[in-house]
Every structure is written in structure tokens, then in C-alpha cells.
Amino acid sequence: MISQLALLLMLLSPPADSADVLIRGGLVYDGSGGPPRRVDIGIRGERISFLGDARQAGLVAGRTIDASGLIVSPGFIDPHTHSYEGLPNLSEQRRKNIGALMQGVTTVVTGADGRGPLEVARVLGEAERLGLGTNTYALTGFGSARVKVLGNSSAPASAAQIDTMRALIAQAMKEGAFGVGSGLFYAPQSYASTEEVIAVIMGAKPYGGVYDTHQRDESSYTIGLLNSVREAIRIGRETGLTTNLGHVKALGVDVWGYADSVLALMREERARGHLVVADQYPWTASGTGLGSSLLPRWSQAGGRDSFLLRVADPATREKILAEMRDNLRRRGGDSTLLLTGGALAGKTLKQIAAERGTPAVETALELIKTGGDLGVASFNMNEQDIETFMKDPYVMTSSDGSPGHPRLYGTYPRKIRRYVLDKPVIPMERMVRASAGQVAEVYGILERGLLKQGNYADVIVFDPKTIREMATYLKPEELSVGMRWVFVNGKAAVEAGAPTGALAGKALRKR
Ligand SMILES: [Zn+2]
């Protein structure tokens, strides 16, 4: 005999075979890299509650989405983006992260290029309280620690300074960071020796995780691309972290064709038991600053005031210009640098120099003097290297999204349209694994990245007939099209192709 109370409880709690949302009839790529299956997916609360044949199971759903003709996959996880840089001090619009959601991205990193937070608990806690459109996980930053302790100094760190930096990194890891980032290409991080970087990042060793780097040289600026890869591998190996080469590329004519050699170095190291991976964006232009791309690093030591003093000295100015000339050649010349911010957006350095009647490097130096490190798109990669990297099973997808470059709004749909559907460089199952399951696995992001019963319901539904990026170098902020439904922790963030403005993201802590 059932008591009245038990009967009441049965009526109040939903039966086991019910879901809030049922995504029916889609072609499902589950993120593991395996072949697609035609299965229905049920979401209950924050989690994936069902995978299978809904009719056969008699599943009752509050709402059913007809996904026939559409692709269903786990939400993408972007391991290199600047979209949440500055958390928690971002506008609600930025925190909504609609540009990412419209690409199917449901989780983004905070802290690329070594500029990640040191106070991880505070930043994540405040961001979560304010609300986020996408989930986020943090990498703490070697650069943040160095700037805090040494400012913009080019001096080597003392033993005491190294101890302080190491403690900052350890504390950030303890607070839930998934690893440590560096940007050794950029001043002032560029002034740190390999030994200094290793000694500082040792603070992360007890916690494990990923050493993610915008490496010292993606070209032929200083130590050269291959030595730079060797350095990144060594830093990861000695600190016990997985090495990730952020936005891997062969930058500039001097190293075009080196993609296979980079991949070979990675493969050899993996064969010795140390995991080395990379992430990549599918664009031939990188996005950086005019100063970062052209100035010799010694000219930036001590920060902007010191730089301006050097430029004011005629002999030093000549030396700077000579090195800038070589750096411009390395990147492909004045027609390959496109200004992306401010009043000059949309013009190449060549056009600006012609308008002003001054040589290209002098024009650039003048712009840097008056405008700081203006944003540029730098067309310096070739299609061949991009495809070679993309085909490697250890190269994941990332956007490196930053304002002014279309990659912030278009990376994932572009890769699907251009490299999976139009010219099949990689199959869709690889695309989905490289953009979801593998990223979760490498970073230790639990219960996400795979469509699996019990996992968090970060689920996307897109139309392979229409998916594409709309953002261009001249109009970089156009939303992508073709993403039909995006669920973040079970809540609809994109509904029938339109963003809902939901703030359903969570701040993730490493467990
Ligand atoms: Zn970078």
C-alpha cells in the first residue's frame, strides 16, 4: 500500500524518463572523435540526462527541438582568447560573450599570453556573481607575476624576486587555476631567461596542469621558431606540466614551411612521455600591436617613458629604425600590416605612409610614439602551414579572439565552413574533438567537452548548410550565422538562431 505522502512525492518529482528539453533527430558528434550517430539528447536541469532513442524509451519532454538535418555537438571550449580579459571589470555586454556563443563556444579561457589573474579566487568569484554568458576557466600568468614584482624592468630577477613570483603562482594554482600562461614574445616577459621562467613556474608543479605559451619566437626574431618550441617543451617538462603552444604558427617568410618540423619536435617529446599539444586559429593574419610586431624589445625596456627617451636620441632612433625595417621585411612588408583600431582602422601601413609621404618604418614609429601599441592584423602565415598544423591530431582549435580581428566573432564557423565542409582538410569528428573533447581532456576540465549522460549540458545545434563566419578584417564584429541552439549548463543561450542574453555560465575551478 502506498501512503498518501509517497503518492504525493511521486506526483511532484518527474519520472525518470522525462526531460526539460529533448533534441530529436540530429546527427550527433559527441566530442570523442568517433563517427557520428543519430541519437536524441535529453537535458534535465543542468545536465545531459538522456542519449538514445527517445520514442523507444518513451521519454516525455517539456520542449522538443527538431534537429533533423542539423548537427549536434558539445559546446566548444576556447583555450586561447582575450574575450574575458579584464574580468571581473567588464561591461555586461562583454560578459554575455554573444560573439562566442554565436560560434557555439560555451567555455572560454581567462588569461592568455601570460597575463592571467593572480587572484584567481577573487576574480572568478566576482565574475560569477556578476554573471557570465559562457563558462570560464583561468590560467594564471607568468607575466602578471613578473610585472607585479619587477614592473617593466629588463633586469634578471633576483633569487628573492623569483621566490616571490613562485609563491604568487602557487597561490593562484591553489585557488583553482588550470595552469600557467606565458607570453615570452612580449616585453617585459621577453626579458626573462628560460631558467627564470622555470624557477617561477615550479610553483605550479604540485598542482599539475598546463603550461600554455605565446612562445618567445614564432618567427626568426630572436632564437628562431624551432629553438623557441624546444624552450617551451623544456619549461613544461621541468615543471611537470603539459606544454601547449598557443596559436601555433609559422610567422613570416623566413619560417614558412616549418610546420612539419614543429610537429616533429612535439611528436618526439610525446614519445618520451611528456604531453605536448598546440592550439591554432584558421586565419592567415595574426592580431597584435604595431609596436609589438615591429619594435626591437630592447627599445621597450623600462616601459613607455624609457622608450620615448630612446626615440628622442638620434643615434638610438636610427638603430631602432634599422631593426624595424628588418622586422617589417620578416612580416611581409608594409602592405601586410592592416590597422584595426582607432581612426586609421582599415588602412594598411603602406597606405598611411603614402598619405603622409614618409617611409613605412618612420610612419610606424610616429604612430607608436603618438598612439601607443595600435592594433594590427598582420598577414604573415601561409595556407600550407595552416593546413599542416590543422591535420595533426594534437592541434586543437582556438580563436585568440581580440577586438579588431574577425577571429573574435568568426573562428569556429570559419573552420567548419572552410576546412571541414568546403575543402575537407579535416573531418567533422576531428573538428568537434579538437574544439571540445580534447580541450577538456588536456586542461582537465571535468564533465564537459563530451556529450555523455551526466555531463553538464553544454550542447550546440548547428546547420551545416548555412554555418559560416560573417566577420571580416574590415567588419570584424559581425556575428556568425548557422548556430541554431546553444545550451550552457542546460539553459538556452541561443534559441532558434538568436541570442537570448542568458548569463548561464559558471566559473570553473580545477579539481
Ligand atoms: Zn598570443
Side-chain angles (χ1 to χ4, degrees):
M1 252 266 274
I2 301 172
S3 75
Q4 278 189 328
L5 183 64
L7 189 64
L8 188 65
L9 281 173
M10 272 177 65
L11 289 172
L12 285 176
S13 63
D17 52 357
S18 87
D20 301 329
V21 178
L22 173 64
I23 302 169
R24 171 172 270 168
L27 190 62
V28 174
Y29 291 83
D30 67 4
S32 69
R37 292 174 291 157
R38 205 163 289 281
V39 285
D40 308 321
I41 292 181
I43 296 172
R44 185 153 49 163
E46 297 188 321
R47 306 271 182 169
I48 297 169
S49 57
F50 177 85
L51 266 106
D53 187 327
R55 193 160 300 160
Q56 215 168 53
L59 192 82
V60 181
R63 169 186 214 177
T64 299
I65 293 168
D66 177 12
S68 47
L70 306 178
I71 288 176
V72 184
S73 88
F76 300 141
I77 303 174
D78 188 345
H80 199 108
T81 174
H82 301 274
S83 59
Y84 272 170
E85 210 152 85
L87 274 183
N89 307 312
L90 291 181
S91 66
E92 178 164 322
Q93 198 51 37
R94 285 281 303 278
R95 280 185 283 106
K96 280 183 182 169
N97 215 1
I98 285 168
L101 289 166
M102 291 297 281
Q103 300 179 61
V105 173
T106 54
T107 302
V108 300
V109 73
T110 294
D113 294 349
R115 303 188 193 118
L118 296 170
E119 296 172 277
V120 169
R122 181 187 65 80
V123 168
L124 293 183
E126 282 182 33
E128 198 162 37
R129 190 173 48 74
L130 292 165
L132 299 169
T134 48
N135 303 308
T136 194
Y137 66 98
L139 297 179
T140 186
F142 170 75
S144 307
R146 197 175 206 272
V147 168
K148 180 160 182 157
V149 175
L150 281 98
N152 285 312
S153 169
S154 60
S158 70
Q161 287 169 326
I162 286 176
D163 285 345
T164 308
M165 288 190 275
R166 189 193 300 118
L168 289 170
I169 297 294
Q171 180 60 30
M173 293 299 294
K174 194 173 158 189
E175 293 180 14
F178 284 73
V180 189
S182 81
L184 302 184
F185 171 68
Y186 293 106
Q189 299 181 62
S190 57
Y191 305 127
S193 67
T194 312
E195 286 70 24
E196 180 187 315
V197 178
I198 290 172
V200 170
I201 293 183
M202 275 299 178
K205 195 166 187 173
Y207 303 92
V210 177
Y211 168 62
D212 170 62
T213 183
H214 179 153
Q215 54 180 315
R216 201 180 288 276
D217 195 352
E218 296 177 311
S219 183
S220 59
Y221 278 102
T222 49
I223 59 174
L225 174 59
L226 297 185
N227 280 329
S228 176
V229 170
R230 289 186 185 100
E231 179 192 43
I233 287 174
R234 182 183 156 203
I235 293 169
R237 182 201 305 137
E238 294 194 19
T239 55
L241 305 179
T242 294
T243 291
N244 182 43
L245 304 173
H247 48 60
V248 71
K249 63 173 79 72
L251 190 164
V253 288
D254 292 354
V255 293
W256 279 359
Y258 278 36
D260 53 347
S261 304
V262 171
L263 293 170
L265 289 175
M266 293 168 61
R267 201 160 44 237
E268 283 163 24
E269 179 70 6
R270 282 195 304 271
R272 291 186 205 106
H274 172 216
L275 184 59
V276 181
V277 296
D279 62 64
Q280 175 204 33
Y281 55 80
W283 305 84
T284 54
S286 64
T288 185
L290 191 59
S292 296
S293 62
L294 295 179
L295 290 176
R297 287 295 169 268
W298 59 263
S299 73
Q300 296 172 289
R304 191 161 170 79
D305 49 337
S306 314
F307 165 73
L308 291 173
L309 281 177
R310 289 188 189 100
V311 177
D313 175 70
T316 317
R317 179 190 160 87
E318 271 320 304
K319 260 189 83 185
I320 292 172
L321 284 171
E323 290 198 37
M324 285 177 74
R325 239 169 254 126
D326 195 38
N327 289 340
L328 185 59
R329 172 203 65 77
R330 179 173 279 124
R331 285 199 175 247
D334 53 6
S335 63
T336 67
L337 288 184
L338 177 74
L339 277 286
T340 55
L344 295 167
K347 290 185 179 178
T348 63
L349 178 59
K350 184 177 178 154
Q351 288 170 319
I352 300 164
E355 280 169 17
R356 297 188 176 184
T358 50
V361 284
E362 289 188 26
T363 308
L365 188 57
E366 212 44 49
L367 291 172
I368 295 163
K369 263 174 64 184
T370 52
D373 206 2
L374 295 167
V376 291
S378 165
F379 292 82
N380 56 49
M381 281 165 263
N382 76 31
E383 213 45 64
Q384 190 62 53
D385 284 318
I386 289 177
E387 293 183 11
T388 303
F389 280 128
M390 195 178 286
K391 285 181 198 154
D392 189 90
Y394 289 87
V395 176
M396 307 174 287
T397 317
S398 69
S399 71
D400 197 9
S402 52
H405 192 298
R407 63 196 182 184
L408 179 58
Y409 284 77
T411 289
Y412 289 78
R414 175 183 171 89
K415 188 169 169 183
I416 292 171
R417 170 55 52 206
R418 200 179 159 97
Y419 296 97
V420 179
L421 298 173
D422 287 354
K423 177 184 182 184
V425 173
I426 54 167
M428 187 67 81
E429 47 265 49
R430 175 62 201 147
M431 168 70 204
V432 175
R433 172 157 162 78
S435 312
Q438 191 169 26
V439 187
E441 200 175 293
V442 164
Y443 279 89
I445 299 168
L446 304 178
E447 301 174 296
R448 297 182 195 274
L450 291 179
L451 294 182
K452 207 173 105 179
Q453 198 172 357
N455 271 7
Y456 284 99
D458 295 343
V459 184
I460 67 175
V461 182
F462 61 93
D463 186 346
K465 292 185 294 300
T466 59
I467 191 162
R468 59 169 292 203
E469 88 280 17
M470 299 299 283
T472 64
Y473 291 99
L474 295 178
K475 289 184 104 180
E477 299 195 346
E478 301 290 310
L479 294 171
S480 290
V481 297
M483 203 48 67
R484 303 299 303 155
W485 294 86
V486 176
F487 291 91
V488 178
N489 297 305
K491 286 207 186 70
V494 174
E495 209 171 294
T500 65
L503 293 169
K506 291 176 188 278
L508 314 179
R509 281 93 174 165
K510 190 169 195 289
R511 280 182 273 159

Short mmCIF file of all heavy atoms in Angstrom, two decimals, residues 80 113 186 214 247 400, ligand 1:
data_model
loop_
_atom_site.label_atom_id
_atom_site.label_comp_id
_atom_site.label_asym_id
_atom_site.label_seq_id
_atom_site.Cartn_x
_atom_site.Cartn_y
_atom_site.Cartn_z
N HIS A 80 42.29 29.69 -26.08
CA HIS A 80 43.12 30.90 -26.23
C HIS A 80 42.27 32.02 -26.79
O HIS A 80 41.97 32.07 -27.99
CB HIS A 80 44.33 30.64 -27.15
CG HIS A 80 45.42 31.65 -26.98
ND1 HIS A 80 46.62 31.38 -26.36
CD2 HIS A 80 45.48 32.97 -27.31
CE1 HIS A 80 47.38 32.46 -26.33
NE2 HIS A 80 46.71 33.44 -26.91
N ASP A 113 48.41 34.44 -22.98
CA ASP A 113 49.65 35.21 -23.18
C ASP A 113 50.34 35.62 -21.88
O ASP A 113 51.09 36.61 -21.86
CB ASP A 113 49.40 36.46 -24.04
CG ASP A 113 48.99 36.12 -25.46
OD1 ASP A 113 49.11 34.94 -25.84
OD2 ASP A 113 48.56 37.03 -26.18
N TYR A 186 56.42 38.92 -25.68
CA TYR A 186 56.11 40.31 -25.33
C TYR A 186 57.02 40.84 -24.22
O TYR A 186 57.33 40.13 -23.27
CB TYR A 186 54.66 40.41 -24.85
CG TYR A 186 53.64 40.15 -25.93
CD1 TYR A 186 52.92 38.97 -25.96
CD2 TYR A 186 53.41 41.11 -26.92
CE1 TYR A 186 51.97 38.74 -26.96
CE2 TYR A 186 52.47 40.88 -27.91
CZ TYR A 186 51.76 39.70 -27.93
OH TYR A 186 50.83 39.48 -28.92
N HIS A 214 52.40 31.86 -25.44
CA HIS A 214 52.68 32.58 -26.67
C HIS A 214 54.20 32.62 -26.69
O HIS A 214 54.82 33.41 -25.99
CB HIS A 214 52.08 33.99 -26.64
CG HIS A 214 52.38 34.79 -27.88
ND1 HIS A 214 51.56 35.79 -28.33
CD2 HIS A 214 53.40 34.72 -28.79
CE1 HIS A 214 52.06 36.31 -29.45
NE2 HIS A 214 53.18 35.69 -29.73
N HIS A 247 48.20 29.32 -30.13
CA HIS A 247 48.11 29.81 -31.52
C HIS A 247 49.36 29.46 -32.33
O HIS A 247 50.04 30.33 -32.86
CB HIS A 247 47.78 31.30 -31.60
CG HIS A 247 48.60 32.20 -30.71
ND1 HIS A 247 49.95 32.30 -30.81
CD2 HIS A 247 48.22 33.08 -29.75
CE1 HIS A 247 50.38 33.19 -29.93
NE2 HIS A 247 49.36 33.67 -29.27
N ASP A 400 42.03 32.93 -30.28
CA ASP A 400 42.88 34.07 -29.94
C ASP A 400 42.08 35.36 -30.10
O ASP A 400 42.63 36.40 -30.44
CB ASP A 400 44.15 34.10 -30.81
CG ASP A 400 45.24 35.00 -30.21
OD1 ASP A 400 45.08 35.46 -29.06
OD2 ASP A 400 46.24 35.25 -30.91
ZN ZN B 1 49.26 35.49 -28.14
#
